[in-house]
Amino acid sequence: MTQKIATLALVVADYDEAIEFYRDKLGFSLVADTPLGPGKRWVLVAPPGGNGARLLLAKADGPEQLASVGNQAGGRVMLFLETQDFAGDFARMSEKGVTFLEAPRHEAYGSVAVFADLYGNKWDLIEPRG
């Protein structure tokens, strides 16, 4: 039996602003945007190339979920965007206004820089060594 993590839910404050960030600033594809009823949508985005997990952009429903927007990992890096062109993606994302929280660094495992999404969740942009 083969299994994989196919989709991760990311709680967002607003569907459209989240779509705009992931599509226009990170270059993700909008895989699905399906109405589900009053105020609810099934919104999936995925990195270019279609490899790896997709993100379900789930609009916060109520004060408890709204309080988690931007802090789903308690301030830690929560998602890792792997690339084969670190320098090119870093430059492109910077030009599009993505906020990097540090300068690129080169570690034993590869090149990496931490960035924040539109709500403040921390991500690693990483090109593994190898």
Side-chain angles (χ1 to χ4, degrees):
M1 178 197 310
T2 301
Q3 296 181 334
K4 67 179 181 177
I5 296 174
T7 306
L8 298 166
L10 182 66
V11 181
V12 300
D14 179 82
Y15 291 118
D16 294 321
E17 71 183 9
I19 290 169
E20 182 179 336
F21 176 83
Y22 287 99
R23 183 192 58 214
D24 300 345
K25 295 191 184 251
L26 297 189
F28 283 24
S29 298
L30 179 61
V31 176
D33 187 354
T34 308
L36 297 176
K40 292 290 184 185
R41 292 156 56 183
W42 180 262
V43 178
L44 288 174
V45 294
N51 292 329
R54 302 173 300 178
L55 289 179
L56 172 66
L57 303 178
K59 186 175 177 184
D61 185 14
E64 186 176 340
Q65 289 181 18
L66 195 56
S68 74
V69 172
N71 193 30
Q72 289 185 215
R76 294 186 57 97
V77 170
M78 72 176 275
L79 295 164
F80 299 80
L81 182 59
E82 193 171 293
T83 181
Q84 294 176 337
D85 182 12
F86 180 84
D89 284 342
F90 179 84
R92 181 184 54 75
M93 290 166 63
S94 296
E95 289 169 7
K96 298 262 185 192
V98 173
T99 302
F100 279 88
L101 305 176
E102 63 181 27
R105 63 185 198 281
H106 306 285
E107 303 288 349
Y109 54 84
S111 299
V112 65
V114 176
F115 69 93
D117 70 13
L118 74 162
Y119 299 115
N121 292 301
K122 293 179 183 175
W123 290 63
D124 270 0
L125 174 65
I126 184 167
E127 181 176 0
R129 190 171 313 278

